[in-house]
Amino acid sequence: MTRAEFLKSVDEILELAPGTLQGPEKLEDFPLWDSTAMISFMALADSNNQTKLAPRAMGACETVEDLLRLAKVE
Amino acid sequence: MHASLAAIEYYLPERTVSTADLAREFPEWSAAKIETKTGIGCRHIAAPDECSSDLAVAAAQKLFAAGSARPEDIDYVVLCTQSPDHFLPTTACLVQNRLGIPTSAGALDINLGCSGYIYGLGLAEGLIATGQARSVLLLTAETYSKFMNERDRSVRTVFGDAAAATLLKAVHTQEPLMGPFIYGTDGAGGPNLVVPAGGMRQPRGPASAVEVADDQGNVRSQDDLYMNGPEIFNFTLSAVPESVERLLQKAGVALEDIDLFVFHQANRYMLEHLRKRLRIAPEKFYFALENCGNTVSSTIPIALKKASLEGVLKPGSRAMLVGFGVGYSWGAMILRPSEIA
């Protein structure tokens, strides 16, 4: 999965219009970034990038970019 | 001698909480979103004076009324619950008396959650194969709703109360009809699905009853059920595929040789992810949580009963059952079902 496809999937998880997220956005600014969204992102990384994400490490992410880095999205 | 799964009945409390009800209580979550994420439309909730033994007795009475066995036939009761009527006496003992099961029967409780049905079947097979029992009544009963804070949507959207009664009978067969079994335990995950107060480690009191809102607005106290959803999901991503692989190897069969997969019905989103990851065909993967939610140790017997009634679980077929959750505790087994009443 490319970076653009990943971002589009995160748009969907956060119920945003496709193309909204670019990377520098702060997660705390999205009210829908909750435990359900975290699970959806974990499933996304597991399915498409074969990356298992530790919830604690996800909790430490401040921006969308941090999440992509954790999921090893190029 | 080996154990044969002869009959299953289940009981759901009368009161229901629909997804629409929850959406009204938690307006930040739409009914559609709750249904998409959980796959649950309705949960049954025990009445204030309705305890696990009441649900277990109701399920067992249905089984006896259906003519699958008489109380006097039962020589062992295994009851799985984490919400017992009392610390003591043993809930299985109270149920033995209420059902009129002979005093010559053995009875014990096991304290396990979502893996409990697998462990219960493992115990029943052991009791029957070693000649200690001939007719085991396996009861699973939970009233998790009594642990849930009304303002904690993370658990209220998922869990429902229920009980199931499963009859295991001794039959003469060369090969076991239940097994092989594999098990797993990792107590490091204990804090991720827990009711912190109420036992001896942290008795209930004014301090434990103080309610706190988490950063997502869910309110709970130390007296209430807490579930760390992402950590539980992370655990299942590791434990379930590994268990399936380990069981296939132990049984000497391939994934394609399994006719039906019946996993603990945690929530639809998690199950669907596991199904895809394991490359299991949709028609071989059974869902049964829409009308009752995650009923903990009763999800698998409820699913087996429904699958049997629908003709999806056929006599002589090969089903894989996988239970996983609180503890962490997990287990998996192969079931060769006979005609399930």
Side-chain angles (χ1 to χ4, degrees), chain B residues 151-227:
Chain B
R151 291 187 287 163
D152 186 352
R153 100 182 160 201
S154 68
V155 289
R156 286 195 61 213
T157 49
V158 173
F159 292 105
D161 299 331
T166 302
L167 177 67
L168 291 314
K169 279 183 175 171
V171 291
H172 284 284
T173 57
Q174 281 298 107
E175 297 294 319
L177 300 172
M178 299 198 306
F181 289 81
I182 63 108
Y183 301 108
T185 309
D186 182 4
N192 294 323
L193 188 43
V194 63
V195 180
M200 297 304 110
R201 178 66 60 192
Q202 188 182 353
R204 281 186 176 211
S208 72
V210 174
E211 293 183 329
V212 178
D214 67 14
D215 54 6
Q216 291 163 28
N218 291 307
V219 175
R220 70 183 75 87
S221 75
Q222 295 287 297
D223 297 341
D224 301 323
L225 177 68
Y226 164 69
M227 179 173 69

Side-chain angles (χ1 to χ4, degrees), chain B residues 1-340:
Chain B
M1 296 291 251
H2 288 289
S4 171
L5 201 164
I8 300 173
E9 293 290 346
Y10 62 89
Y11 172 78
L12 302 171
E14 204 170 309
R15 188 187 148 215
T16 58
V17 175
S18 72
T19 294
D21 295 333
L22 290 172
R24 271 191 293 276
E25 283 187 56
F26 303 104
E28 67 278 16
W29 261 31
S30 68
K33 180 169 177 176
I34 296 173
E35 287 229 30
T36 304
K37 294 294 178 191
T38 63
I40 301 163
C42 169
R43 308 124 193 94
H44 292 253
I45 302 297
D49 60 349
E50 200 173 25
C51 291
S52 287
S53 73
D54 302 315
L55 307 190
V57 164
Q61 284 172 337
K62 278 178 79 175
L63 190 140
F64 294 138
S68 302
R70 299 167 302 169
E72 52 268 40
D73 298 330
I74 305 299
D75 56 8
Y76 216 105
V77 180
V78 176
L79 189 147
C80 178
T81 189
Q82 298 194 305
S83 48
D85 294 26
H86 310 281
F87 280 130
L88 56 111
T90 311
T91 308
C93 296
L94 303 176
V95 168
Q96 169 272 331
N97 180 53
R98 286 176 63 185
L99 290 171
I101 290 171
T103 54
S104 56
L108 58 81
D109 284 359
I110 55 172
N111 179 333
L112 282 171
C114 309
S115 64
Y117 193 66
I118 306 297
Y119 282 75
L121 292 180
L123 288 172
E125 166 66 14
L127 288 165
I128 288 173
T130 54
Q132 295 181 69
R134 291 187 59 84
S135 290
V136 177
L137 181 64
L138 170 60
L139 300 165
T140 51
E142 288 297 356
T143 55
Y144 263 34
S145 66
K146 295 182 192 300
F147 296 139
M148 296 192 292
N149 191 299
E150 285 287 304
R151 291 187 287 163
D152 186 352
R153 100 182 160 201
S154 68
V155 289
R156 286 195 61 213
T157 49
V158 173
F159 292 105
D161 299 331
T166 302
L167 177 67
L168 291 314
K169 279 183 175 171
V171 291
H172 284 284
T173 57
Q174 281 298 107
E175 297 294 319
L177 300 172
M178 299 198 306
F181 289 81
I182 63 108
Y183 301 108
T185 309
D186 182 4
N192 294 323
L193 188 43
V194 63
V195 180
M200 297 304 110
R201 178 66 60 192
Q202 188 182 353
R204 281 186 176 211
S208 72
V210 174
E211 293 183 329
V212 178
D214 67 14
D215 54 6
Q216 291 163 28
N218 291 307
V219 175
R220 70 183 75 87
S221 75
Q222 295 287 297
D223 297 341
D224 301 323
L225 177 68
Y226 164 69
M227 179 173 69
N228 184 328
E231 286 289 357
I232 297 294
F233 188 65
N234 197 35
F235 149 68
T236 60
L237 287 183
S238 302
V240 175
E242 187 269 339
S243 298
V244 169
E245 186 55 39
R246 192 151 59 102
L247 181 61
L248 290 172
Q249 278 186 15
K250 193 171 180 181
V253 297
L255 192 84
E256 298 71 36
D257 297 326
I258 303 297
D259 300 302
L260 191 68
F261 292 84
V262 181
F263 285 18
H264 161 58
Q265 306 285 299
N267 69 67
R268 192 176 183 101
Y269 187 85
M270 182 189 284
L271 289 176
E272 189 59 15
H273 182 73
L274 290 169
R275 182 192 70 73
K276 287 180 184 163
R277 198 171 188 273
L278 287 161
R279 298 175 197 276
I280 299 170
E283 64 273 17
K284 285 189 170 188
F285 199 83
Y286 198 74
F287 288 99
L289 41 58
E290 192 185 349
N291 296 314
C292 55
N294 178 342
T295 55
V296 195
S297 51
S298 292
T299 66
I300 295 176
I302 289 172
L304 289 175
K305 179 70 180 180
K306 289 184 174 213
S308 177
L309 288 172
E310 290 169 13
V312 179
L313 181 68
K314 297 180 177 72
S317 63
R318 192 186 268 132
M320 181 186 286
L321 315 185
V322 186
F324 49 88
V326 58
Y328 301 140
S329 168
W330 62 99
M333 60 169 288
I334 303 285
L335 172 71
R336 304 299 299 256
S338 325
E339 199 69 53
I340 297 176

Side-chain angles (χ1 to χ4, degrees), chain A residues 2 11 13 26 28 34 37 41-42 53-54 61 65:
Chain A
T2 66
D11 284 334
I13 290 170
K26 286 202 161 180
E28 65 182 16
D34 59 8
F41 189 77
M42 289 166 74
L53 302 182
C61 290
E65 196 65 57

